[in-house]
Amino acid sequence: MPKPVSSVLPVVLLGCGGVGRHLLHHIVSCRPLHAKQGVAIRVVGVGDSSSLLVADDVHSSGFDDALLTNICAAKSAGSPLSSLLGQGPCQLFKKPEANGKVIDTATVLGRSSGLVLVDCSATYDTVGLLKGAVDHGCCVVLANKKPLTGAYEDFEKLVSNFRRIRFESTVGAGLPVIASVTRIIASGDPISRIVGSLSGTLGYVMSELEDGKKISEIVKTAKSLGYTEPDPRDDLGGMDVARKGLILARLLGQRISMEDINVESLYPSELGPDAMSTNDFLESGVVQLDKSMEERVRAASLKGNVLRYVCEIGTAGCQVGLRELPKDSPLGRLRGSDNVVEVYSRCYESSPLVIQGAGAGNDTTAAGVLADILDLQDLFQKTA
């Protein structure tokens, strides 16, 4: 039996890639569950890299579930948002007018019902919109790591009102890494060190290498499974892990930037984005890594160790790269695309807090984003 609606959460979604589309699917499929909880998520706008689709009346109505489903289908097929015009009471705005419409919507709803601006894109370009939403008292939910890993002033601005921002899915997909770290910090228990395998992609790559497969084959499979960033070199170069490490380091109070992180790339510069396209890398570049990686795996195995791609955050800053670890260690036992994070503090000095679970995939990440949205429901009241 549905409960009376106690919280209505208007949402504008930025980003219609894999995570964004899965999020819309989750919102639709979870309607019966949310109804039982007295919660209603009202999607009033969806944007991609070129345009924004907005409901005619953001105050009292959003997109119906049929339109949300059609948006997912259209974007999966590579069609523009403009192809959805006429399927519901909505308007289309092209960039740069779309950005202004996001701020207008934040201004209007920020003064009345409130708004959750959800960023599932993979760009730095949303920073201005996110800061504008914060200025208008709106909430922000991030799967996109980049707004939190640019200028420190942007990070500080976005997290200045911690009640209104959630970014659990920026580190560890749906795992409660951010929540655990912030709870420990809030308790007055100083965190001395965080060590972890923070990339589901590289966790998968490392365990498959351990089984004797070639890295070129593994990377292609990982991309087909949706484990990688659009360009797998974002994972193989360690930048995705470095961004996650930077977010955690900044949460610990370190005023550092990406340039301060020592990152070991798994590919040389001659195979980088400046030298070849993503398709060329997948077709002819990554195979050049097979021999050297096989040698590193063999060298580690002769010592009874395994290779893992590790991020460590301590008092000396943040380091990211390959390490040889004992097979029976928490990180050494890691298999597949799971993430493992060890948190050391005064209370967890000799026996760290260990967080482990699925750390990759659009579905898992989208579920984490939806949980973050629902976590804000107490800030929203029932609207007519």
Side-chain angles (χ1 to χ4, degrees):
M1 188 75 178
K3 291 174 59 177
V5 176
S6 57
S7 299
V8 176
L9 287 77
V11 166
V12 170
L13 169 64
L14 305 177
C16 285
V19 174
R21 295 195 300 270
H22 273 80
L23 174 61
L24 295 179
H25 278 302
H26 283 318
I27 289 172
V28 172
S29 64
C30 289
R31 292 287 190 206
L33 172 63
H34 295 160
K36 290 179 181 178
Q37 299 169 343
V39 180
I41 295 176
R42 179 190 295 157
V43 180
V44 300
V46 174
D48 60 15
S49 60
S50 61
S51 58
L52 176 76
L53 201 65
V54 183
D56 283 344
D57 184 0
V58 297
H59 285 289
S60 59
S61 64
F63 301 148
D64 62 26
D65 289 350
L67 180 53
L68 293 178
T69 301
N70 289 341
I71 289 172
C72 293
K75 294 306 298 180
S76 294
S79 300
L81 288 175
S82 58
S83 65
L84 283 304
L85 284 174
Q87 297 190 25
C90 56
Q91 307 169 63
L92 184 78
F93 296 86
K94 295 282 189 179
K95 296 285 180 73
E97 289 80 12
N99 292 345
K101 186 60 180 178
V102 171
I103 296 300
D104 288 346
T105 305
T107 303
V108 170
L109 294 182
R111 294 170 181 167
S112 54
S113 62
L115 173 71
V116 185
L117 186 58
V118 180
D119 186 358
C120 290
S121 70
T123 176
Y124 288 106
D125 296 341
T126 57
V127 172
L129 296 178
L130 297 169
K131 291 195 297 182
V134 169
D135 284 337
H136 289 97
C138 298
C139 295
V140 168
V141 170
L142 299 172
N144 182 10
K145 294 173 279 290
K146 292 181 179 178
L148 297 175
T149 56
Y152 186 84
E153 292 73 20
D154 291 338
F155 171 86
E156 199 168 35
K157 170 77 172 181
L158 291 173
V159 302
S160 59
N161 190 339
F162 212 78
R163 291 180 66 238
R164 294 185 176 274
I165 184 169
R166 298 291 184 275
F167 49 99
E168 191 67 74
S169 293
T170 61
V171 179
L175 294 178
V177 178
I178 300 294
S180 299
V181 168
T182 54
R183 281 174 63 87
I184 293 173
I185 293 170
S187 74
D189 182 14
I191 293 176
S192 57
R193 190 162 60 106
I194 298 175
V195 182
S197 175
L198 296 175
S199 168
T201 307
L202 292 177
Y204 173 82
V205 169
M206 292 300 120
S207 60
E208 293 291 285
L209 282 170
E210 190 180 338
D211 290 341
K213 298 178 182 177
K214 295 181 179 180
I215 192 170
S216 56
E217 298 169 355
I218 298 167
V219 169
K220 292 173 185 177
T221 301
K223 182 170 173 59
S224 70
L225 291 171
Y227 288 169
T228 72
E229 295 292 312
D231 185 341
R233 286 170 294 189
D234 264 2
D235 300 288
L236 297 176
M239 294 308 296
D240 185 59
V241 175
R243 291 185 190 109
K244 296 173 183 178
L246 179 58
I247 291 170
L248 291 174
R250 286 177 167 180
L251 277 180
L252 299 188
Q254 298 184 17
R255 298 178 66 91
I256 63 173
S257 301
M258 288 294 292
E259 296 75 21
D260 301 313
I261 299 178
N262 183 19
V263 183
E264 178 186 0
S265 174
L266 297 187
Y267 65 86
S269 58
E270 54 264 30
L271 300 182
D274 293 337
M276 61 175 61
S277 68
T278 302
N279 286 338
D280 286 343
F281 176 75
L282 289 170
E283 290 300 319
S284 60
V286 69
V287 70
Q288 299 178 43
L289 306 177
D290 285 343
K291 184 177 179 181
S292 61
M293 195 57 67
E294 285 173 10
E295 291 172 351
R296 293 190 72 167
V297 171
R298 189 180 305 113
S301 180
L302 290 174
K303 303 173 192 173
N305 293 332
V306 292
L307 285 181
R308 294 293 182 261
Y309 200 85
V310 176
C311 174
E312 179 167 359
I313 303 142
T315 55
C318 181
Q319 293 80 40
V320 172
L322 276 179
R323 281 196 196 174
E324 291 186 16
L325 297 169
K327 287 184 179 180
D328 60 353
S329 65
L331 270 70
R333 292 193 298 268
L334 188 65
R335 300 294 299 174
S337 62
D338 276 9
N339 281 185
V340 172
V341 179
E342 300 175 349
V343 183
Y344 295 83
S345 67
R346 184 187 66 243
C347 295
Y348 297 102
E349 183 176 0
S350 57
S351 181
L353 173 66
V354 179
I355 306 162
Q356 179 173 352
N362 294 329
D363 192 18
T364 304
T365 304
V369 173
L370 181 56
D372 271 354
I373 295 170
L374 293 169
D375 197 40
L376 296 164
Q377 63 183 276
D378 289 344
L379 299 176
F380 293 79
Q381 300 300 318
K382 180 177 178 181
T383 59

